Amino acid sequence: MAVPFVVKNCTGNTEELITVAAWCDDEPVQLAQTEYVVAPGDSVTINVPCTMPDWCMGSVNVRLVADARKNGDVEGACPARAEASCEIRCVEACVTACARFEGPV
């Protein structure tokens, strides 16, 4: 399952270099891409892959942290940090997890 997060460059006229990191239930997740260059007013969707627990105990908390600064200009950099988290209930995961068990239990 991939949880989508949308990161938007809200600056009026500067390109932003955005670095992202993600976690599933406080475990770091390897993302396919960790750096994005986003034009002013544009956005990028980052899919965070998560593995649901086998026995579906409760929910999974997915977190994304994005760090941004003006691309290429370290002196006049405008750092910004944003964090978003999303709780995913695993009803569908329960069905697929149970379907894996074949034979006597």
Side-chain angles (χ1 to χ4, degrees), residues 3 17 33 38 51 53 79:
V3 181
L17 173 65
Q33 188 177 345
V38 185
T51 305

Side-chain angles (χ1 to χ4, degrees), residues 4-104:
F5 287 88
V6 177
V7 178
K8 183 170 185 180
N9 177 352
C10 296
T11 62
N13 56 4
T14 53
E15 196 175 62
E16 296 284 330
L17 173 65
I18 296 172
T19 307
V20 292
W23 292 263
C24 278
D25 274 349
D26 296 326
E27 291 292 319
V29 173
Q30 191 70 42
L31 296 171
Q33 188 177 345
T34 56
E35 284 193 347
Y36 298 84
V37 174
V38 185
D42 281 352
S43 62
V44 62
T45 300
I46 296 150
N47 289 303
V48 178
C50 268
T51 305
M52 292 298 184
D54 281 345
W55 297 107
C56 239
M57 304 298 283
S59 59
V60 175
N61 190 51
V62 188
R63 192 161 56 99
L64 181 86
V65 174
D67 281 294
R69 80 163 189 220
K70 285 180 188 173
N71 195 21
D73 183 4
V74 179
E75 284 247 341
C78 157
R81 187 180 179 90
E83 185 173 325
S85 67
C86 181
E87 202 174 78
I88 305 297
R89 293 250 160 230
C90 56
V91 178
E92 285 177 38
C94 232
V95 178
T96 53
C98 294
R100 285 201 310 245
F101 296 95
E102 295 171 10

